[in-house]
Amino acid sequence: MTLPLRIVVNGSPVFYEGAPGRRLSDVLRHDLGLTGTKTGCDAGDCGACTVLLDGQQVCACLVPMGQLANRGVVTVEGLGAHGALSRLQKAFHKHGAAQCGACTPGMLMAAVELLAQRTAPTRTEVEDAIGGVLCRCTGYVKIIDAVLDAVSIDVAISAGPAVGTAVGASVLKVDGLAKITGVEKFGADGIPADALWLRVVRSPHHRATFTLGDMTAFTMARGLVRILTAADVPANAFSIFPELRDQPVLANGEVRYRGDAVLALVGSRAVLEDIADDELPIAWTPLPPLLGFAAADARLVHADRPGNLLVEGRVVRGDATVAAAYTAEVSIETTFVEHAYIEPEAGWARREGDRLVIHVSTQSPFLDRDETAHVLGLPPDQVVIAPTACGGGFGGKLDLSVQPLVGLEAWLLDRPVACVYSRPESMMASTKRHPAAITTRMGCDADGILLSCRVEARFDTGAYASWGPTVANRVPIHAPGPYRVPNVATHAVALHSNGPPAGAFRGFGVPQAALAHEAAMDQLARRLGIDRLEFRYRNALRSGDSTPTGQVLEHSVGLRACIDAMRPHWKRLLADCAIINAQETHLRRGAGIACMWYGIGNTSISNPSTMRIALRRDGRVVLLNGAVDIGQGSNTVLAQIAADALGVTLDHIDVVMGQTDLAADAGKTSASRQTFVSGKATELAALALRQKILRLVNADDTAHIHFEDDSVVIDDGTLRHRLDLGRLDADALDHVLVGEGRFDPLSGPLDEHGQGQPYATYAFGAQIAVVEVDVELGTTRVVKIVAAHDVGKAINPQQVMGQIHGGVAQGIGMALMEAYVPGRTENLHDYLIPTAGDVPDIECLLIEDAEPLGPSGAKGVGEPGLIATAPAILGAIEHAVGIRPDVLPVLPHRLYALLRG
Amino acid sequence: MGDYVRPAGLDEALEHLARRPYAVVAGATDLYPAHVGRSLQGHLLDISGILTLRGIVRHDDHWRIGATTTWSDLIAADLPPLFDGLKQAAREIGGRQIQNAGTLGGNICNASPAADGVPPLLALDAEVELASVDGMVRLPLAAFVNRSRSTARKRGQLLTGILVPQPALPCRSAFAKLGARRYLVISIASVAAMIEIDCGLVSRARVAVGACSPVPCRLPELEAALRGAVLDKRLGDCVTESHLAALAPIDDIRADASYRRAAVTVMVRRILNQLGPA
């Protein structure tokens, strides 16, 4: 077949000359520079690359160029006419429908097809239309709202809030426009045309030794630039915690999990794509793997970790064996869960003189910098991490991925080097949620007052340490649940296996622990004959109480307020269940309730964030923000805090995100800490900048500051000063004044009994789930979620709700469908995450019990939204059918087997 | 990669096929997922440019569905209740993107045990039409998809169309699938049924099941039991597990075999009840 051919892309003719078998997505992104079209799987499973072809939505990754002669393609870049936003884009912006933004272009294009056919689509029609596009952030709620709203004649986008009113307002995302127009640059979007590409060859075995054949001959024969092996890596080990560096950048003769990196091939993309892994001269000797819980097994994953024990943690308080009138004992089991962010790991590096600059999608730029510098044997300040937009993280982009390899190769070759993981590679290589086996025993007195809680938790931490220590430390603290329990004995171990490294995933083990304590709470309530909500209310932590670690909670314990807010919903929903179940059909309805708590920030260790706010010579305010926005909205929330603290409007602030040579270390985007910790640091930085301005003109603290183009006007009521910014000295970035703020909320190590203050503050919440179980088929449909969360202060209510929606969706996935099986579910059609048709109506109730330490009283909400969902669903299933599943996910065949006894 | 040809006419396509073995491409929705991170391998014959292979035409006693007819083409077509089940299946195949690109011929030739398009076509007693430079032959669909991931297509042959007989009597059809999520889900099990009705009785029934055997298959014992049954809301009540003798479900990540057998029994009952009078 002979090409060239002519296609019409976004209304303009384009001539393509090349292989007819190339994917349209590839040509759009790499030849035409239309990187608004994202690729998430190259298999038609995720829909991120959805474009219109002659008006019909298709996955651009599944369209051969050879089929495109004289056909019309519309991408996200073609949506708005003459640079204006389309109505649909405006609606997406208004509703906050884009969180990370990686699915957004695909969602928009899918909805455009629908809106061309239906002037007033129903909700079901919208779900059908976008059912082929996966979103991992939003729970689809705001996306569906936006599509339904887009039929309005004019979608009104509100103006920004007035000075001093940004905090507490649902302001539009500061990076929202970039995400809905496709101009946002993610990890794979800004790769220079002259970059070499790098592809990692990974172990196909769970456990094996290997020897390498003649790599030089293979390199020459196949036109590669080079093949990196373990011998090429200066310091071949990394981890989250420097004292636990156990993961090789490239394995050295031995692999410990399916997905361990073995070789890095470097060359042109075309050459790399022509090579199959099994063509490489690697002689494998597979060994019997250790899969699942491994405590007593003789096979050690790491020779220096006896019993395969990575770490253990415990909390002991009082006498947990104290006699109780009623006791409950439950055991639960969970499996590996995949983060399934829509953007796979991606980035590229370039040597710039004696510095190495790495552009990468990450949650932890400063950790990346330090670990990459360690691997390369460079001082940390010679390595710069420049975070791109991050297309979803959820904990999975806290660990190194492409950074050390593209960094090493770019450093050695002095050429840009890029690496983009394929979806199977992303799923094989990246960390997972820890599988857990937890037994929880709780006891209470005859009045239903909790007396004791004992927990024994085992976590499969996989092949390498990653964040295993954090899970094993966090779980014993949280395992009794958000209740007053005077006698506690909890213990958690993280055990190695030849599974994928289990790391950080939204909640660090607490969602697994909550499954157990909430099952025990339901069991006790039933034995007592007390309503499940009221039993929880009776025992809920409140201000002045001590936690199991002996920490006295003085402020911001809003759990009872959450339960109070839920009570009318609970009564109504229980009544609904009774009415529906009175009809004898194969459908049974049930309602469940679950409570959660979550310590904000790192566990038992220092937790600092430093933020800087600069005043530029042109009068603009720049937030030098070391906190990475992974879609959750910290760029916007921190700008809101800065704007009010400084006394400017939001649109006066520019945000520079994460670059390690510009911003200070704000810590990782994890543990729901950025609003609380970096938010406070931002407030302090803004106040410091304000002080500097006031000091320059000797104005007093109450003075009003007004920013103009090239000057600042300070009015203290009697005098009006004009500060001419052009006359001040500026640094290389044109900054004339910089305010810095640092916040490190008080937390510290626990003693040998697990006593101490592991966190400065805690988030609380409660959720109700209503499900419908088909008792003949064992299928479960979630009908409704009510979510009440004490967030201290909702800096941006729309984004807080977005976090809850997304957390709930991931909780539904964890409860009902998600199971990562190495070697079997390394794609997004065998590994299922919820689609637009799987997330029900979610009602959010925001409780604001202010945390005095936090900015305007705010705490965190990123992880809390997920933690109560799965236990509430399990409680609802039990309510519906009288049996509570204890193995997750509750796939239809598992529930069916339980129902049949 | 090898050769990539995209002829405009059938004869040209058949000449290519006679010359060398090509993998056949239409909607490409199964081709690229088999090449994630890799360039396409082997020689490819793209039949999407052959216009005569696309579309649905009524003939005297049968319907002809061109091999490259997409699921969306089918959904949009004005068709009698005979095709209700096939249309329901079409709406459950992938997302809209896949329905817009994927073809009926491709779904058959991919020969997945869980192909949602195959059970409703078995229930319609479909035949496939295979063309080669030596001429045209027809095969019953059940004979064509002969093993998991395998068909009876011979070297040089191209599946050009699907032939569905038009029953003389009024008929109804339906399809249902079971999966662990709402959209984009590979079936744990799928069922399709078609009945012909004569004076309120079932004159003929065909019931087929997917994802419970190496290839989707019909349930002849059940079909026999249904013949002559009164068409009412309880048509499915007669279904027992013994009617499922033709199935050989397996354990996999989606479900275990015993569940599949039990679930299919329920699904078949429900779908038959659903075919009763409204």
Side-chain angles (χ1 to χ4, degrees):
Chain A
M1 180 170 176
T2 53
L3 296 178
L5 51 80
R6 173 185 180 277
I7 56 179
V8 178
V9 178
N10 295 330
S12 303
V14 168
F15 294 90
Y16 171 77
E17 196 158 1
R22 281 181 70 199
R23 300 163 190 262
L24 170 60
S25 53
D26 190 34
V27 171
L28 289 172
R29 292 178 51 81
H30 293 281
D31 296 20
L32 305 180
L34 296 173
T35 54
T37 298
K38 308 303 172 193
T39 51
C41 69
D42 273 346
D45 295 330
C46 77
C49 67
T50 298
V51 299
L52 295 187
L53 177 57
D54 293 341
Q56 288 193 311
Q57 58 165 310
V58 293
C59 289
C61 74
L62 302 182
V63 179
M65 288 306 295
Q67 296 188 352
L68 287 174
N70 300 314
R71 300 181 74 185
V73 174
V74 181
T75 69
V76 67
E77 290 90 346
L79 276 188
H82 313 296
L85 295 181
S86 72
R87 230 158 47 191
L88 181 65
Q89 286 172 307
K90 280 187 196 170
F92 265 58
H93 196 29
K94 171 184 160 187
H95 288 273
Q99 284 190 24
C100 83
C103 77
T104 307
M107 284 289 180
L108 287 164
M109 302 318 294
V112 167
E113 183 200 48
L114 172 72
L115 294 173
Q117 296 164 353
R118 294 270 185 284
T119 50
T122 64
R123 180 167 286 264
T124 303
E125 285 173 329
V126 174
E127 289 176 5
D128 286 348
I130 65 168
V133 190
L134 298 177
C135 170
R136 193 59 156 166
C137 295
T138 66
Y140 306 95
V141 177
K142 294 296 182 189
I143 292 169
I144 294 170
D145 286 349
V147 178
L148 289 168
D149 196 22
V151 302
S152 313
I153 299 302
D154 189 25
V155 177
I157 295 181
S158 58
V163 170
T165 65
V167 168
S170 289
V171 305
L172 304 175
K173 274 174 93 97
V174 297
D175 42 13
L177 286 177
K179 293 178 194 293
I180 59 175
T181 54
V183 307
E184 183 81 292
K185 295 284 184 244
F186 292 84
D189 293 342
I191 295 168
D194 63 339
L196 287 169
W197 285 66
L198 182 149
R199 190 182 111 213
V200 184
V201 176
R202 297 182 180 278
S203 169
H205 304 290
H206 301 298
R207 180 169 172 243
T209 57
F210 66 91
T211 54
L212 298 177
D214 188 344
M215 291 297 156
T216 310
F218 191 89
T219 304
M220 305 283 284
R222 301 303 293 268
L224 289 164
V225 172
R226 81 149 87 200
I227 298 176
L228 287 173
T229 71
D232 298 308
V233 186
N236 193 9
F238 67 94
S239 192
I240 301 300
F241 301 96
E243 67 276 17
L244 290 173
R245 284 185 182 124
D246 61 358
Q247 185 162 1
V249 176
L250 293 172
N252 190 7
E254 178 186 8
V255 290
R256 294 186 176 85
Y257 78 104
R258 184 184 151 86
D260 231 342
V262 176
L263 299 172
L265 316 184
V266 182
S268 71
R269 274 181 81 223
V271 164
L272 293 180
E273 287 185 358
D274 267 343
I275 298 170
D277 283 3
D278 57 15
E279 294 179 75
L280 282 146
I282 306 173
W284 292 102
T285 308
L287 299 170
L290 198 57
L291 297 172
F293 289 106
D297 201 286
R299 290 167 290 187
L300 292 185
V301 177
H302 296 273
D304 58 348
R305 292 183 187 154
N308 286 314
L309 178 68
L310 169 64
V311 71
E312 62 187 318
R314 70 172 75 242
V315 170
V316 179
R317 183 171 178 81
D319 175 12
T321 61
V322 65
Y326 295 93
T327 59
E329 175 173 340
V330 299
S331 294
I332 62 101
E333 266 181 54
T334 70
T335 187
F336 286 116
V337 181
E338 157 68 18
H339 300 87
Y341 22 75
I342 301 305
E343 179 210 26
E345 293 78 351
W348 56 282
R350 174 151 55 196
R351 185 171 183 164
E352 296 177 1
D354 63 351
R355 298 198 322 168
L356 174 65
V357 182
I358 303 175
H359 304 260
V360 65
S361 175
T362 179
Q363 296 179 244
S364 47
F366 288 85
L367 173 96
D368 290 354
R369 180 194 66 180
D370 295 352
E371 284 302 290
T372 304
H374 166 77
V375 167
L376 269 62
L378 293 172
D381 61 5
Q382 263 179 271
V383 177
V384 174
I385 302 293
T388 63
C390 178
F394 318 114
K397 289 176 183 164
L398 289 164
D399 296 63
L400 292 187
S401 59
V402 304
Q403 297 88 331
L405 284 172
V406 295
L408 176 61
E409 198 58 21
W411 185 256
L412 295 175
L413 292 174
D414 199 9
R415 275 188 68 176
V417 176
C419 179
V420 177
Y421 283 6
S422 69
R423 176 60 60 179
E425 179 177 21
S426 171
M427 296 183 77
M428 278 172 81
S430 68
T431 63
K432 303 285 169 281
R433 181 182 295 288
H434 284 71
I438 303 176
T439 297
T440 294
R441 299 176 181 85
M442 294 178 95
C444 67
D445 67 15
D447 297 324
I449 302 299
L450 286 175
L451 292 174
S452 63
C453 177
R454 281 180 290 162
V455 177
E456 189 60 47
R458 288 180 298 159
F459 289 92
D460 178 354
T461 206
Y464 296 107
S466 181
W467 289 84
T470 301
V471 170
N473 288 328
R474 186 178 273 273
V475 166
I477 298 165
H478 290 82
Y483 307 111
R484 296 169 145 179
V485 193
N487 301 293
V488 168
T490 58
H491 178 229
V493 292
L495 301 168
H496 282 299
S497 72
N498 294 116
F505 190 165
R506 212 169 190 169
F508 284 110
V510 178
Q512 295 96 308
L515 287 162
H517 65 63
E518 291 307 279
M521 290 297 282
D522 279 355
Q523 208 175 89
L524 284 176
R526 193 171 60 246
R527 292 193 175 151
L528 284 153
I530 303 178
D531 175 85
R532 289 169 284 163
L533 178 144
E534 300 303 341
F535 179 57
R536 286 169 169 84
Y537 187 79
R538 197 173 293 186
N539 288 288
L541 283 168
R542 51 209 94 152
S543 292
D545 286 347
S546 292
T547 70
T549 70
Q551 179 178 357
V552 177
L553 301 175
E554 288 170 8
H555 307 283
S556 192
V557 187
L559 181 55
R560 286 194 133 199
C562 289
I563 299 175
D564 281 331
M566 304 246 291
R567 190 174 282 108
H569 297 275
W570 178 243
K571 288 181 175 166
R572 189 187 72 246
L573 293 168
L574 284 178
D576 290 351
C577 290
I579 292 167
I580 288 167
N581 289 339
Q583 301 160 16
E584 300 269 327
T585 73
H586 57 273
L587 299 175
R588 300 288 300 173
R589 198 170 272 228
I593 180 170
C595 296
M596 59 68 56
W597 66 323
Y598 193 79
I600 300 298
N602 304 335
T603 304
S604 308
I605 54 174
S606 174
N607 211 4
S609 173
T610 302
M611 300 294 278
R612 293 189 191 126
I613 301 183
L615 178 60
R616 233 167 38 191
R617 197 199 295 269
D618 62 2
R620 297 286 297 173
V621 174
V622 184
L623 175 59
L624 299 163
N625 165 23
V628 175
D629 191 326
I630 60 174
Q632 89 285 21
S634 55
N635 280 346
T636 305
V637 163
L638 298 177
Q640 287 176 263
I641 292 168
D644 280 10
L646 203 54
V648 297
T649 54
L650 200 54
D651 59 9
H652 206 89
I653 296 182
D654 301 319
V655 180
V656 173
M657 185 188 83
Q659 190 162 329
T660 56
D661 61 339
L662 297 177
D665 188 352
K668 305 165 190 79
T669 296
S670 74
S672 302
R673 57 182 292 285
Q674 292 298 19
T675 297
F676 176 57
V677 186
S678 292
K680 189 66 185 181
T682 300
E683 188 180 279
L684 295 172
L687 294 175
L689 175 60
R690 184 179 147 86
Q691 282 301 318
K692 282 191 175 177
I693 294 167
L694 296 179
R695 232 174 289 140
L696 279 179
V697 296
N698 283 324
D700 75 51
D701 281 355
T702 59
H704 177 77
I705 300 181
H706 178 66
F707 290 77
E708 294 180 357
D709 277 354
D710 48 9
S711 62
V712 178
V713 178
I714 300 103
D715 188 343
D716 64 10
T718 50
L719 280 173
R720 198 175 147 85
H721 313 270
R722 178 174 292 274
L723 190 60
D724 181 356
L725 298 177
R727 301 175 67 168
L728 297 178
D729 291 336
D731 66 12
L733 295 166
D734 239 15
H735 300 155
V736 292
L737 290 172
V738 180
E740 183 170 298
R742 183 174 188 276
F743 182 52
D744 187 4
L746 185 64
S747 62
L750 305 181
D751 67 16
E752 72 270 28
H753 300 298
Q755 298 297 296
Q757 174 160 330
Y759 310 100
T761 189
Y762 296 78
F764 296 89
Q767 294 187 3
I768 299 169
V770 179
V771 304
E772 191 176 78
V773 176
D774 183 328
V775 294
E776 292 177 357
L777 291 176
T779 52
T780 303
R781 186 170 72 89
V782 184
V783 175
K784 168 96 181 167
I785 297 280
V786 183
H789 286 271
D790 169 23
V791 299
K793 168 74 181 177
I795 305 282
N796 186 319
Q798 185 180 69
Q799 290 197 8
V800 168
M801 286 189 264
Q803 285 301 293
I804 295 170
H805 295 153
V808 165
Q810 290 185 359
I812 291 170
M814 181 183 168
L816 297 180
M817 64 186 80
E818 299 192 30
Y820 178 78
V821 183
R824 188 59 192 85
T825 61
E826 291 156 356
N827 58 64
L828 292 174
H829 57 263
D830 290 316
Y831 186 87
L832 304 181
I833 66 172
T835 66
D838 299 298
V839 182
D841 176 43
I842 301 170
E843 198 159 338
C844 295
L845 310 170
L846 302 187
I847 304 300
E848 298 182 317
D849 189 338
E851 165 53 55
L853 290 173
S856 301
K859 305 187 281 192
V861 72
E863 288 151 297
L866 174 143
I867 294 167
T869 309
I873 289 171
L874 285 245
I877 293 172
E878 184 180 17
H879 183 231
V881 300
I883 297 169
R884 191 181 189 107
D886 53 11
V887 177
L888 265 61
V890 188
L891 292 168
H893 68 281
R894 288 188 176 152
L895 184 54
Y896 182 87
L898 288 175
L899 291 168
R900 292 295 169 280
Chain B
M1 66 172 278
D3 205 6
Y4 188 111
V5 295
R6 188 170 186 262
L10 180 59
D11 291 346
E12 193 189 335
L14 298 179
E15 281 159 24
H16 282 300
L17 273 179
R19 259 206 321 276
R20 65 153 61 134
Y22 282 92
V24 179
V25 184
T29 57
D30 288 312
L31 173 72
Y32 285 110
H35 293 85
V36 175
R38 300 287 316 279
S39 49
L40 296 181
Q41 308 293 310
H43 303 301
L44 298 169
L45 171 67
D46 185 334
I47 59 169
S48 63
I50 306 171
L51 300 181
T52 53
L53 293 185
R54 184 167 177 178
I56 305 169
V57 179
R58 167 91 198 246
H59 296 270
D60 285 346
D61 60 349
H62 72 277
W63 298 75
R64 184 179 183 282
I65 305 173
T68 64
T69 304
T70 66
W71 297 106
S72 293
D73 292 344
L74 179 86
I75 293 165
D78 186 14
L79 297 170
L82 175 67
F83 290 99
D84 285 356
L86 189 59
K87 282 195 173 188
Q88 284 164 357
R91 291 191 186 92
E92 298 292 334
I93 288 173
R96 280 285 157 79
Q97 299 95 328
I98 303 299
Q99 293 161 22
N100 285 337
T103 65
L104 274 76
N107 194 247
I108 292 171
C109 289
N110 190 49
S112 162
D116 285 335
V118 173
L121 287 169
L122 287 173
L124 295 178
D125 202 24
E127 290 184 316
V128 296
E129 175 191 271
L130 298 161
S132 71
V133 289
D134 300 327
M136 204 78 93
V137 295
R138 288 179 176 194
L139 266 185
L141 178 58
F144 180 69
V145 184
N146 51 14
R147 290 197 311 279
S148 174
R149 301 279 172 194
S150 162
T151 69
R153 188 167 69 93
K154 294 189 183 124
R155 190 171 164 182
Q157 281 184 331
L158 183 68
L159 190 151
T160 48
I162 300 147
L163 307 169
V164 174
Q166 171 62 50
L169 294 166
C171 49
R172 292 187 186 146
S173 69
F175 170 86
K177 80 184 269 183
L178 176 62
R181 69 178 177 188
R182 173 64 190 89
Y183 298 106
L184 293 179
V185 66
I186 296 173
S187 292
I188 293 171
S190 63
V191 300
M194 197 280 299
I195 51 170
E196 293 177 36
I197 307 159
D198 191 6
C199 302
L201 300 180
V202 176
S203 142
R204 184 206 300 272
R206 290 192 213 96
V207 182
V209 174
C212 289
S213 43
V215 297
C217 67
R218 280 169 57 183
L219 302 177
E221 291 88 350
L222 175 61
E223 292 175 3
L226 289 168
R227 200 166 303 132
V230 178
L231 180 61
D232 61 16
K233 281 288 179 203
R234 310 189 58 183
L235 180 63
D237 288 3
C238 69
V239 179
T240 65
E241 283 208 22
S242 66
H243 290 135
L244 310 182
L247 303 182
I250 58 165
D251 294 346
D252 67 10
I253 50 161
R254 285 178 270 278
D256 58 39
S258 64
Y259 171 76
R260 282 194 161 96
R261 197 173 283 280
V264 161
T265 312
V266 174
M267 291 167 72
V268 172
R269 266 185 210 140
R270 286 186 188 171
I271 203 173
L272 290 173
N273 289 344
Q274 192 187 318
L275 289 176

